[in-house]
Amino acid sequence: MMGGIRLPGRQVWSTYGRWKALASLRQSQQASHLFQQRLCFSCSSSLSHNPDRQARENRVQLPDTPCRTRFAPSPTGYLHLGSLRTALFNYLLARATGGQFVLRIEDTDQSRLVPDAESKLYEDLKWAGLSWDEGPDVNRPFGPYRQSERLPLYHEHADKLVAEGKAYRCFCTPEALEEHKRVSNAAGQPTLYPGTCSHISPAESEERAHKGEKFAIRFRSSKTPTAVRDIVYNHFRKKEPEDDYIIIKRDGFPTYHFANVVDDKHMEITHVIRGAEWLISTPKHVELYNAFGWTPPQFGHLGLLVDENRQKLSKRHSGVSMAWYQDHGILPQTLLNFVALLGWRGRDAAAGGAKKKSGQNGDVMSLDDMVDIFNLKFSKGDIIVSLSKLSFLQTQHLKLLPQTLPTNPSLAADLKSRHIDPFMDFLSSVESLRSRSPSPEIPESLGLHLLGDRIPNPRIFSAPYVADLVQIILKSNPQPPKTTTTPTNSDEIVPSGQQLSTPTAFYPLRYLHWTLSSFALRASLIKSNIDVQSITLHGEACSFIDAINYLVSELSTLPEEDWTKENISSFLAERKEAIGYKEGEKHVKNTWKVCRWAVLAGEEGLTVPLSMEVLGKEEAIRRLEQAGQVAMEVVQENGGDGGKDNDIFTTAAVGEAALVGGKGISGKTGAAAGTGETVAAAESSWTDVIPDITDVIDV
């Protein structure tokens, strides 16, 4: 039995049977291989399959020689997420190989230019932390770097192609071409140029041009599709040959396809990294290189950016424009890190290709980290942009600010002008209102009674605390959405260069700018749920003032020169269970919470040790003593019931609730005094309270 002997539950194969099975398997594998060769890439093109793993690895390794790369945006719009990604990867390739990164402005489409787009481009790239070696503002021997200033060069090369018969003048009017497209569309035919002028003799063409007849110049494309070699997609070939496309328009300006080839050659560009939407046009470019007898640069096409529904990101989607990130307080290094993760797989291939995350903190990378580990390993296909990672990266880079700022003066200057100065202006506005209080136009909802005296020269605004201040301001900002699927409503986004009327960071920082009033301490005592009548010290019942005296006595032993957040943190950690109290039905031990109430009126958002360091030893101890006195007064005033039904206590709490939950300076709506909305209102957002503090000041 040649096929083998069948036994119950299994089959024993003969030699012939095994050979036949293996032959069938090989045929199946070959068929699969052929199928992969015939795969279409969005435009009826074929992608070849390269079974040689070593060849693929070689393709993504950096060259041994310096690379010259370029970022060539068109000033017909502003920098967006996709163009920043293109700029970043070209920058990294140049820096990683010791080469040059060139900025070139492709402004040949004169009808669509946006007046301030070029200047905004420079501003946004510099804000992101990218610099260039050559460009319109850094002229070098390969300039000029605006295409509108290079027209003679394009005409010289176009005329050369015409003289060699590789291009020809096209005298067809725009109206005639549009009519041809209309008729072809109606008939279901291709709308390719019909070659009307391709057979005009050189003599006739020259005569008509000499007489002033308007013309464009078309490239005479090959009848055989041109193959392209790509770093990401390997081999690419369109199914159909190219049209005889225009290289010089009737207005004398070159098309993108022609100008970028001429410029890349004359600027000696070695590598072109760009979006996959340009892969379809690359055969045109390679054909032009061949026509001139030039060697093309190496091309690498990056996957398209899409949202979670796999729809191409439009300009109205969240997280597309640079202004969107700037208005949400995203750090430049956070954004570059986020962009680097959009389709670059090289970070996972550090340490000899092992599946290991790059950088000391996994996906968290500085620009220098990216340069150090960069290679050309990019993902094929669409890249889903999910903003959920943005918040994580922002948190991590905020933690790194103390190390980043000292070596990055431009970042420090940007953060100061964009975030610190507006916040300080806001505090000045509040102080101006305080100087006029009480006044009928200043509603109680502003809560000025909760603020004590202004601290002279608050240390939180001094140089040693810039990183801490920025961390607090940016952490307090409203979080951006975590999805790109919902288009942004432009009415809900604050225009670039403006800030929210009421910075949320006002809450954690107000008591580092002003001292605490007794009203603030009394109001926050309710929210803290600290029962001042059940205080214990080392497990023994005591008065609140005794517990405070213990802290004051212990902290006083720290010398002024040792009054640092690190030492204060160690001090509190060693005594974290020294002070206890009743919180609801439980008795808890939490020295940290008592200190937060005493020093910051329970305000969240920044650490107690940092706050005490910034306030200084004298002010921190004074606040502890003040808190002990307030707690003692509350107990005496309320006959042992904790003060929760006392009128003064309730009034202060309502004032705090009105401050946090009010609707505006005008006092039209919100939690006003007497509404009874205390704790719930106190936990709400105050972002809407002052759209118009300046309106009050200008009255």
Side-chain angles (χ1 to χ4, degrees):
M1 182 173 183
M2 303 204 47
I5 303 171
R6 184 174 298 277
L7 297 176
R10 66 192 184 112
Q11 183 175 13
V12 179
W13 291 93
S14 66
T15 302
Y16 173 77
R18 290 196 299 273
W19 174 85
K20 192 171 183 180
L22 288 172
S24 176
L25 177 61
R26 288 193 189 98
Q27 289 177 354
S28 175
Q29 291 172 333
Q30 289 170 358
S32 174
H33 175 68
L34 290 172
F35 173 73
Q36 291 182 51
Q37 284 186 313
R38 293 169 182 158
L39 282 176
C40 283
F41 178 76
S42 75
C43 56
S44 302
S45 58
S46 63
L47 286 176
S48 67
H49 172 71
N50 183 0
D52 188 351
R53 181 182 181 87
Q54 187 60 47
R56 289 198 300 270
E57 290 298 322
N58 292 341
R59 198 167 68 243
V60 302
Q61 296 306 312
L62 295 182
D64 297 328
T65 54
C67 296
R68 281 181 60 82
T69 65
R70 47 78 163 176
F71 175 51
S74 171
T76 55
Y78 302 110
L79 190 71
H80 54 80
L81 195 68
S83 52
L84 178 63
R85 182 183 62 155
T86 298
L88 173 62
F89 289 147
N90 281 284
Y91 172 93
L92 292 176
L93 177 55
R95 293 289 179 265
T97 59
Q100 296 82 40
F101 176 56
V102 179
L103 177 62
R104 187 172 73 220
I105 303 300
E106 300 196 341
D107 59 347
T108 57
D109 192 350
Q110 295 285 296
S111 63
R112 297 176 56 232
L113 296 183
V114 175
D116 66 335
E118 185 176 331
S119 59
K120 192 69 170 65
L121 171 74
Y122 302 149
E123 179 185 324
D124 286 342
L125 285 174
K126 290 175 181 177
W127 172 81
L130 299 183
S131 59
W132 44 96
D133 304 292
E134 303 170 29
D137 58 339
V138 189
N139 203 11
R140 291 290 186 267
F142 293 102
Y145 295 91
R146 289 186 189 89
Q147 288 186 335
S148 59
E149 300 171 4
R150 298 169 64 85
L151 297 183
L153 181 66
Y154 306 134
H155 283 276
E156 174 190 338
H157 284 77
D159 291 343
K160 183 176 187 298
L161 291 178
V162 171
E164 294 175 354
K166 297 174 181 177
Y168 57 90
R169 297 182 183 92
C170 175
F171 298 94
C172 298
T173 64
E175 294 78 15
L177 293 174
E178 282 300 318
E179 177 63 15
H180 166 69
K181 288 182 180 179
R182 187 189 66 79
V183 172
S184 298
N185 268 325
Q189 299 296 322
T191 59
L192 301 178
Y193 177 65
T196 307
C197 298
S198 62
H199 304 298
I200 296 177
S201 68
E204 181 186 346
S205 174
E206 191 71 31
E207 181 182 359
R208 293 173 68 174
H210 183 71
K211 289 180 177 179
E213 189 173 346
K214 283 193 171 184
F215 63 87
I217 297 179
R218 290 183 180 271
F219 180 69
R220 201 181 296 274
S221 297
S222 170
K223 302 305 179 185
T224 304
T226 301
V228 172
R229 190 170 182 84
D230 189 76
I231 293 170
V232 181
Y233 290 97
N234 197 15
H235 289 109
F236 171 80
R237 187 196 300 269
K238 292 175 68 174
K239 225 175 185 182
E240 303 295 335
E242 295 291 342
D243 191 4
D244 283 0
Y245 58 92
I246 293 175
I247 57 175
I248 299 290
K249 296 177 286 187
R250 287 165 66 91
D251 63 2
F253 279 83
T255 59
Y256 163 80
H257 302 298
F258 186 63
N260 96 86
V261 167
V262 174
D263 286 343
D264 285 348
K265 169 60 181 178
H266 283 271
M267 293 182 181
E268 299 183 4
I269 301 301
T270 63
H271 291 72
V272 174
I273 309 297
R274 58 190 178 189
E277 63 269 26
W278 292 109
L279 183 57
I280 188 77
S281 301
T282 305
K284 292 181 179 180
H285 306 159
V286 172
E287 236 188 300
L288 278 169
Y289 279 104
N290 295 340
F292 285 116
W294 299 337
T295 300
Q298 293 190 50
F299 296 99
H301 289 85
L302 310 168
L304 293 176
L305 299 183
V306 298
D307 63 22
E308 287 89 337
N309 292 333
R310 294 192 174 274
Q311 299 298 311
K312 184 178 178 180
L313 289 182
S314 73
K315 293 180 180 179
R316 285 188 54 78
H317 277 89
S318 298
V320 172
S321 71
M322 293 303 98
W324 188 88
Y325 293 95
Q326 293 163 354
D327 293 337
H328 279 86
I330 300 300
L331 292 171
Q333 54 268 44
T334 298
L335 181 57
L336 285 184
N337 195 161
F338 177 67
V339 168
L341 300 178
L342 298 176
W344 177 44
R345 299 165 54 214
R347 71 189 195 283
D348 299 331
K355 291 293 182 180
K356 177 182 175 182
K357 294 292 184 184
S358 63
Q360 296 180 350
N361 300 306
D363 279 345
V364 181
M365 297 175 285
S366 68
L367 191 56
D368 289 340
D369 291 333
M370 299 176 208
V371 172
D372 290 342
I373 64 172
F374 188 71
N375 60 23
L376 298 171
K377 197 167 187 177
F378 300 110
S379 299
K380 293 182 181 180
D382 295 345
I383 309 300
I384 297 176
V385 179
S386 173
L387 297 178
S388 59
K389 189 113 186 180
L390 192 64
S391 178
F392 164 76
L393 293 174
Q394 175 79 342
T395 300
Q396 300 307 310
H397 282 288
L398 281 173
K399 291 179 182 177
L400 296 172
L401 263 187
Q403 293 81 45
T404 305
L405 279 181
T407 60
N408 195 335
S410 61
L411 174 62
D414 178 78
L415 292 173
K416 181 178 184 298
S417 63
R418 197 180 293 273
H419 301 291
I420 296 177
D421 289 347
F423 183 76
M424 295 181 70
D425 290 343
F426 173 80
L427 294 183
S428 297
S429 299
V430 174
E431 188 63 28
S432 297
L433 291 180
R434 281 166 49 83
S435 67
R436 298 169 51 196
S437 181
S439 176
E441 70 261 22
I442 302 176
E444 186 180 350
S445 60
L446 185 55
L448 297 184
H449 62 290
L450 297 173
L451 305 177
D453 297 330
R454 184 180 181 278
I455 299 174
N457 302 316
R459 294 176 66 194
I460 190 61
F461 297 109
S462 61
Y465 299 103
V466 169
D468 298 302
L469 179 60
V470 171
Q471 285 176 336
I472 296 164
I473 292 175
L474 296 187
K475 282 180 181 177
S476 302
N477 278 355
Q479 289 297 307
K482 296 184 178 182
T483 177
T484 55
T485 54
T486 305
T488 297
N489 183 343
S490 58
D491 295 335
E492 297 174 357
I493 295 296
V494 181
S496 182
Q498 299 182 21
Q499 71 273 6
L500 290 172
S501 298
T502 308
T504 314
F506 176 80
Y507 304 112
L509 288 171
R510 56 182 166 169
Y511 296 132
L512 300 184
H513 191 265
W514 291 280
T515 61
L516 289 172
S517 70
S518 59
F519 275 106
L521 283 169
R522 287 170 175 260
S524 60
L525 189 56
I526 285 184
K527 292 191 297 179
S528 71
N529 288 325
I530 297 174
D531 182 356
V532 294
Q533 288 192 313
S534 61
I535 299 295
T536 60
L537 182 61
H538 300 304
E540 299 293 330
C542 69
S543 67
F544 199 96
I545 196 69
D546 289 337
I548 291 296
N549 286 340
Y550 161 76
L551 287 176
V552 169
S553 175
E554 293 286 291
L555 282 168
S556 297
T557 62
L558 276 177
E560 285 283 353
E561 60 271 19
D562 294 334
W563 191 261
T564 64
K565 59 185 177 183
E566 291 80 14
N567 290 334
I568 297 169
S569 180
S570 297
F571 170 90
L572 292 176
E574 291 170 2
R575 298 160 179 81
K576 63 181 179 180
E577 295 185 350
I579 300 176
Y581 50 85
K582 195 172 182 182
E583 190 175 67
E585 298 299 321
K586 297 180 180 178
H587 190 85
V588 298
K589 296 179 179 180
N590 194 336
T591 303
W592 289 87
K593 189 170 182 178
V594 172
C595 284
R596 179 173 292 280
W597 170 72
V599 175
L600 295 170
E603 197 68 67
E604 301 288 342
L606 67 168
T607 67
V608 172
L610 172 63
S611 304
M612 294 177 73
E613 178 189 328
V614 169
L615 290 170
K617 182 177 179 180
E618 181 180 349
E619 174 63 14
I621 288 179
R622 188 198 68 77
R623 290 193 181 191
L624 286 168
E625 293 173 338
Q626 177 190 13
Q629 186 64 34
V630 167
M632 184 176 67
E633 292 171 358
V634 167
V635 172
Q636 293 172 349
E637 291 166 0
N638 294 278
D641 64 356
K644 301 203 176 195
D645 295 322
N646 182 270
D647 290 338
I648 297 177
F649 227 72
T650 305
T651 302
V654 170
E656 174 76 353
L659 170 67
V660 190
K663 193 63 179 175
I665 284 294
S666 59
K668 293 178 181 177
T669 60
T675 62
E677 298 181 45
T678 53
V679 177
E683 293 174 352
S684 64
S685 170
W686 198 49
T687 306
D688 297 330
V689 168
I690 1 169
D692 304 304
I693 269 201
T694 50
D695 292 346
V696 178
I697 295 173
D698 294 338
V699 171

